[in-house]
Amino acid sequence: MAATRSLQRCRHLLCRPSFSLLRPSSSSFRFFSDAIAPHSTPPPLPTSPPIPSPESNSGNGGCSTIRSSLNEAEVAKFAAIAETWWDFEGPFKPLHQMNPTRISFIRSALCRHFRKDPFCARPFEGLKVIDVGCGGGILAEPLARMGASVTGIDAVDKNINIAGIHAESDPLTSSIEYRCTTAEQLVKENKKFDAVIALEVIEHVADPSEFCKSLAALTVPNGATVISTVSRTLRAFATAIVAAEYLLRWLPKGTHDWSSFLTAEELVLILQRTSISVKEMAGLSYNPLTGEWSLSDDLGVNFIAYGAKEGDVQ
Amino acid sequence: MLMFRVKRDVTKRALNTICSSNYLRTRNFCGTAAVGVSSSIERDTDYAEKVGMTNKVNQHDIAIVGGGMVGLAFACALSSMPLTKQLSIAIIDSNPALSSRQCFNKNAIPDPRVSTVTPSTISFFKEVGAWEHVQQQRHAFFNQMQVWDYTGLGYTRYNARDVGKDCLGCVVENKVLANSLLLCLQFLGVVLWQNADFQKTIYSARLTSMAFPSQSSSAGNCAGQEYVKDNISGASPTKENEDKKCNNRFMKLDLSDSKSIYAKLVVGADGAKSHVREIAALKTTGWKYPQSAIICTVEHAMENHYAWQRFLPSGPIALLPIGNNFSNIVWTMRPEESAEHKSMNSDDFVKAVNHALDYGYGGHPQSNFLDGYIDKFSSLTGLGVESVKEPFQVPPRITNVVSERMAFPLSLMHAHDYASKRVVLVGDAAHTVHPLAGQGVNLGFGDASTLAKIIAEGLSVGTDIGELSLLKKYERDRKAANVTMMAILDGFQRAFSVDLGPINVLRAAAFHGAQYITPLKRNIISYAMGEQKWPLFS
């Protein structure tokens, strides 16, 4: 309920009537398939005043923080299935299947952003990357293997334990620093990262716009931010909730709350207000025949966005 | 929680100390086996490195068990791609040929163990840079192939020009293929070593046992325990931590020279009787054919540029050019016959071969009255291929048998699964086929090429290369290709081992079909050349 309320507030802030102007075709970001084409950076929008989040988080298997965009019920939900993070046939199977596809997007986006050699085995060497909502480390470990010095944070301490134990067993991933904390807490500590990545997290937070502000604050000027989520479309409702949770039983029932989803346009707007201009977006499409995910231009269900933080702000 | 963090930090510091020493690996694997092994022990104890992807000695990214053609091809494929060339690779094989640099004399008598490599295998060899080494040694291209059967009712001629190619395939001795791949690895090694990329080690030993990583952290079960301790002298990581470290991600391989190595992925390239497959308990299906094959090298008066195959009731006999006036014989027959043919004196054997290639049973297949119509039809529609008009030719007459005769039983075997966690099978370890069309090793090279590409794909997205989901991708890709080819070859074998009137007519009709129906013919040729995934559906 709390999530819905705050989201509604956030949508009001985003002045819905103007959405028609922000359809992907007229928007500043480009599609993955157009990635080679040159693009223009939109003029910076004035940043909106901070929105205080009413939720204060306490306990529940999570970390105690003063103020955060966390949703308590969501935290409890993930604590319950934490042990199965690295079971490829377990509740996180869809995430494991989707992982290589979203990482290939991140790889190509970050290689271009930071001018790294995409043909090398460890292109992220020298980059400080944070995985916000790292879970069991499904994304953090590949990032570390690709050379990044990775910090993984999650609000569920069980996740952090599992992620830490799992990463230890490979010399390539044992350098990952896992912390049970929130993005807001790290902002307080004045931590900065070259790239801030939050995949499939924003749909679980109580206040998406506050969450994006924290992500922006963690990103160094001219750094990169990558966010992926599920769109609030009827098609997403049919696939991500009805099919994935109820029919196919891929995900535990109640994993997603449709009303707290953001559409691609909403995400672009929220990020613009935090001085992150979205440069590229791609849809993640599932082919039920081959069981494989691929990148597409269809932002209707799962999508991933990469944006650059403006250099002159903050 | 706090305890845990502290331990982690200690280990991390220790690792950093190791990694800071910048040592270039200078091991030269073409030295003799004994030197290679002993020198590696000396060096291994006094340094640690972070040159490649895995930063400890005896600890590799990939262990290839079996340094045969397919195992070496896989190593070459990995070394030739930017994403995979830095992987640390161990090749485990006790074959002394692996540790010596050889170049085979072109004028020596060819070895009877040969393979027919398809154009797609040739392009794979070119890709990895091994083909230039094959070219410097003996090899024989053939651009035409004639297949006929003993009844004299039908024949088919395949011509590379039908599909717009220069050759249908190339016959190369197995030792030349293996040697070229080894030279290619050494060459890559020399070049890459200067960039400190060279990460290939050949262990001249056999695999004796293999331990899977376990999820439990029980002491004594820890794979790299002493080893980790040896290298982190100066720091004292707690035991519990070490257990976790080495249990989860590394396979432990015990070798016959009482060394142990660790690898994230074990590739079983150890042939039809794969030890890796056995240890990993990967099940197989298969059957023995009531046939054996005799192979040998023969000499004839003229140079031969065609591949010949005649189907006899007991099995096919193939005559493959191997350069100069030499050809290779692969003759399939009943086991008792093969024993007889192996032991008979060479004059009798030559007679028997010539008889099998040209005499007995019916006469030569002739153009019949139908051919005139088909010819007219082809020229009217413009659909004909050149080889339709080519008449039946008589294969060259054998004058001498110049090598020993080897006989081996034939069987078909296919593994249910090619992969389990951290173990994957390639080549004959995953599938053995009837040697009918010389496709066996080509399937193996296809495996090697695909697996290397899938590993590169996995690395590009930071996947743990031993992860089952990645290996299953390879299995899906290759199973379809391998099973199709196996079914076709098995079907051929069955169709030709029956001598019944009506079936002979059907078979002859099939030959006519293959000879005259152009799209079918093109399909058969490009499938056999390894260029098309599915036969008949282009």
Side-chain angles (χ1 to χ4, degrees):
Chain A
M1 263 328 278
T4 322
R5 237 185 296 114
S6 61
L7 195 82
Q8 275 161 357
R9 184 156 17 85
C10 133
R11 274 182 210 132
H12 282 301
L13 252 159
L14 290 169
C15 358
R16 303 200 75 153
S18 68
F19 274 2
S20 55
L21 297 173
L22 281 150
R23 285 272 168 254
S25 55
S26 61
S27 176
S28 60
F29 66 81
R30 63 192 165 163
F31 284 111
F32 185 70
S33 56
D34 308 326
I36 315 304
H39 63 282
S40 58
T41 319
L45 289 180
T47 47
S48 66
I51 312 145
S53 166
E55 275 86 38
S56 67
N57 198 279
S58 60
N60 207 359
C63 307
S64 51
T65 43
I66 305 123
R67 185 177 64 92
S68 100
S69 56
L70 284 179
N71 178 329
E72 281 176 47
E74 297 279 325
V75 171
K77 211 152 69 187
F78 282 98
I81 50 172
E83 259 113 43
T84 54
W85 269 109
W86 286 100
D87 176 4
F88 281 73
E89 298 299 315
F92 293 104
K93 184 182 176 185
L95 216 49
H96 281 288
Q97 285 181 324
M98 190 197 219
N99 210 27
T101 312
R102 53 188 205 179
I103 295 171
S104 69
F105 176 88
I106 296 171
R107 182 189 175 93
S108 79
L110 295 190
C111 279
R112 254 174 295 124
H113 186 93
F114 294 104
R115 294 177 207 287
K116 298 281 185 180
D117 174 16
F119 298 107
C120 116
R122 293 166 69 81
F124 296 166
E125 206 93 56
L127 290 183
K128 262 185 86 182
V129 178
I130 183 166
D131 177 8
V132 178
C134 63
I138 287 179
L139 173 70
E141 289 195 14
L143 290 174
R145 284 197 197 92
M146 287 153 81
S149 72
V150 181
T151 303
I153 64 164
D154 201 288
V156 181
D157 63 354
K158 236 176 171 178
N159 284 349
I160 290 298
N161 273 331
I162 282 158
I165 290 166
H166 196 266
E168 273 301 299
S169 62
D170 187 344
L172 292 174
T173 56
S174 56
S175 62
I176 300 174
E177 192 190 337
Y178 284 114
R179 278 185 65 182
C180 180
T181 184
T182 60
E184 286 78 5
Q185 183 60 34
L186 291 187
V187 172
K188 279 211 157 124
E189 294 172 22
N190 213 14
K191 291 271 198 293
K192 297 277 178 196
F193 300 88
D194 297 309
V196 176
I197 306 179
L199 302 192
E200 319 301 326
V201 176
I202 198 165
E203 68 268 28
H204 300 291
V205 303
D207 185 343
S209 93
E210 187 66 11
F211 180 67
C212 285
K213 269 188 53 181
S214 304
L215 297 187
L218 288 176
T219 315
V220 296
N222 297 316
T225 308
V226 181
I227 292 176
S228 80
T229 183
V230 190
S231 183
R232 198 185 66 260
T233 57
L234 279 177
R235 219 145 45 84
F237 182 76
T239 51
I241 296 178
V242 178
E245 292 180 19
Y246 289 86
L247 298 179
L248 301 171
R249 313 254 165 103
W250 279 0
L251 301 170
K253 286 172 193 172
T255 300
H256 287 120
D257 173 14
W258 186 71
S259 63
S260 59
F261 290 175
L262 294 172
T263 65
E265 292 87 349
E266 287 166 344
L267 184 68
V268 170
L269 274 179
I270 293 179
L271 286 174
Q272 261 172 358
R273 284 170 185 276
T274 59
S275 73
I276 290 170
S277 62
V278 173
K279 301 282 188 200
E280 206 175 302
M281 283 190 131
L284 292 156
S285 308
Y286 180 73
N287 180 340
L289 291 178
T290 59
E292 278 164 15
W293 290 83
S294 59
L295 293 173
S296 71
D297 281 347
D298 171 18
L299 308 182
V301 187
N302 292 85
F303 66 93
I304 184 162
Y306 133 70
K309 181 165 170 182
E310 279 145 36
D312 51 343
V313 186
Q314 289 177 354
Chain B
M1 183 61 201
L2 186 65
M3 283 290 288
F4 178 65
R5 289 217 58 82
V6 171
K7 283 172 206 159
R8 271 172 52 98
D9 289 343
V10 170
T11 326
K12 225 178 282 167
R13 264 203 303 282
L15 276 173
N16 287 341
T17 342
I18 294 171
C19 298
S20 58
S21 66
N22 195 6
Y23 188 98
L24 297 186
R25 177 176 282 205
T26 54
R27 189 176 309 150
N28 182 0
F29 77 67
C30 56
T32 64
V35 171
V37 170
S38 63
S39 63
S40 71
I41 292 170
E42 277 163 29
R43 286 188 193 128
D44 290 355
T45 45
D46 55 44
Y47 75 91
E49 58 185 298
K50 195 198 179 183
V51 181
M53 306 286 285
T54 302
N55 46 21
K56 289 198 209 96
V57 186
N58 281 9
Q59 197 164 308
H60 299 273
D61 291 305
I62 299 177
I64 302 171
V65 181
M69 293 185 283
V70 175
L72 290 175
F74 176 60
C76 281
L78 290 175
S79 312
S80 66
M81 290 187 286
L83 276 164
T84 50
K85 69 179 179 193
Q86 293 181 54
L87 288 173
S88 144
I89 297 170
I91 299 171
I92 300 157
D93 198 313
S94 55
N95 184 355
L98 282 179
S99 40
S100 61
R101 186 186 281 268
Q102 293 165 298
C103 212
F104 298 110
N105 186 354
K106 272 192 177 184
N107 296 316
I109 302 241
D111 195 85
R113 277 161 293 210
V114 301
S115 294
T116 314
V117 295
T118 58
S120 72
T121 296
I122 294 174
S123 38
F124 165 65
F125 267 60
K126 283 182 179 160
E127 235 170 79
V128 303
W131 190 249
E132 54 189 275
H133 301 293
V134 174
Q135 279 178 315
Q136 284 161 15
Q137 300 172 75
R138 187 184 3 237
H139 64 287
F141 285 103
F142 60 93
N143 53 16
Q144 290 194 38
M145 183 173 179
Q146 177 172 293
V147 184
W148 72 107
D149 83 345
Y150 60 92
T151 58
L153 290 174
Y155 74 97
T156 310
R157 292 185 63 84
Y158 297 106
N159 194 320
R161 278 172 300 170
D162 292 345
V163 286
K165 291 281 158 64
D166 293 332
C167 78
L168 287 172
C170 186
V171 183
V172 193
E173 289 155 77
N174 291 353
K175 63 174 186 187
V176 169
L177 288 173
N179 185 244
S180 302
L181 291 162
L182 195 60
L183 286 172
C184 167
L185 264 186
Q186 286 170 348
F187 177 73
L188 286 169
V190 171
V191 170
L192 296 176
W193 171 73
Q194 288 157 359
N195 305 325
D197 279 348
F198 186 45
Q199 283 287 290
K200 317 286 169 282
T201 313
I202 293 189
Y203 291 89
S204 191
R206 279 172 301 106
L207 175 73
T208 54
S209 69
M210 193 165 86
F212 286 83
S214 68
Q215 295 299 324
S216 72
S217 49
S218 60
N221 196 12
C222 171
Q225 196 170 310
E226 313 98 90
Y227 160 75
V228 170
K229 264 185 188 156
D230 282 350
N231 285 286
I232 313 187
S233 49
S236 54
T238 61
K239 196 165 183 181
E240 189 196 332
N241 219 335
E242 279 172 44
D243 281 351
K244 277 172 193 158
K245 253 188 134 43
C246 44
N247 262 337
N248 282 340
R249 305 287 177 98
F250 287 91
M251 296 283 292
K252 183 188 182 196
L253 295 100
D254 295 320
L255 307 184
S256 55
D257 58 358
S258 68
K259 274 182 91 170
S260 290
I261 63 167
Y262 304 93
K264 284 184 186 169
L265 174 63
V266 176
V267 176
D270 48 350
K273 290 174 184 155
S274 173
H275 197 30
V276 171
R277 186 182 68 219
E278 194 184 306
I279 299 173
L282 291 165
K283 290 198 179 68
T284 61
T285 324
W287 49 81
K288 285 199 166 71
Y289 294 104
Q291 288 176 320
S292 288
I294 280 214
I295 57 170
C296 63
T297 310
V298 295
E299 199 175 2
H300 35 72
M302 305 279 283
E303 203 165 339
N304 173 23
H305 294 291
Y306 293 175
W308 310 84
Q309 189 155 26
R310 189 188 195 197
F311 285 94
L312 302 168
S314 55
I317 179 167
L319 184 75
L320 304 164
I322 182 66
N324 300 336
N325 291 349
F326 296 113
S327 281
N328 182 267
I329 293 276
V330 183
W331 189 1
T332 313
M333 58 183 84
R334 281 188 288 277
E336 58 277 11
E337 286 178 321
S338 74
E340 198 187 309
H341 279 84
K342 202 182 158 194
S343 55
M344 67 173 51
N345 74 48
S346 56
D347 287 346
D348 290 343
F349 183 75
V350 169
K351 261 184 218 158
V353 169
N354 281 322
H355 189 269
L357 279 171
D358 198 22
Y359 298 100
Y361 316 106
H364 294 151
Q366 298 292 326
S367 298
N368 56 32
F369 71 98
L370 259 178
D371 296 1
Y373 292 104
I374 291 166
D375 200 24
K376 269 184 198 157
F377 176 75
S378 307
S379 53
L380 275 175
T381 52
L383 280 171
V385 287
E386 272 180 68
S387 59
V388 169
K389 296 186 197 103
E390 283 169 15
F392 177 82
Q393 287 194 16
V394 179
R397 206 181 154 72
I398 306 310
T399 56
N400 200 6
V401 51
V402 292
S403 75
E404 59 167 324
R405 282 161 267 169
M406 289 184 260
F408 52 91
L410 299 184
S411 61
L412 177 144
M413 183 279 300
H414 190 250
H416 295 200
D417 297 302
Y418 294 3
S420 65
K421 194 162 187 191
R422 305 209 174 274
V423 177
V424 65
L425 303 175
V426 292
D428 280 359
H431 44 76
T432 356
V433 298
H434 195 285
L436 199 77
Q439 289 293 346
V441 82
N442 294 299
L443 295 180
F445 290 137
D447 291 350
S449 160
T450 305
L451 182 59
K453 280 179 187 144
I454 295 238
I455 286 176
E457 249 174 59
L459 284 176
S460 80
V461 291
T463 315
D464 176 356
I465 53 171
E467 211 53 82
L468 188 59
S469 54
L470 187 72
L471 304 177
K472 281 285 174 192
K473 230 189 220 171
Y474 152 77
E475 182 185 290
R476 274 200 303 278
D477 271 25
R478 289 308 297 169
K479 227 183 202 175
N482 292 336
V483 167
T484 312
M485 182 57 90
M486 290 174 88
I488 288 172
L489 294 179
D490 185 55
F492 259 105
Q493 192 275 335
R494 284 165 196 276
F496 284 103
S497 47
V498 187
D499 187 17
L500 262 177
I503 293 189
N504 287 352
V505 172
L506 278 178
R507 193 158 57 212
F511 266 117
H512 278 277
Q515 171 72 344
Y516 294 112
I517 304 170
T518 305
L520 178 67
K521 191 166 186 171
R522 283 212 182 100
N523 265 302
I524 291 173
I525 299 176
S526 37
Y527 183 66
M529 286 166 77
E531 289 179 343
Q532 200 174 302
K533 217 168 181 180
W534 300 98
L536 313 184
F537 306 103
S538 53

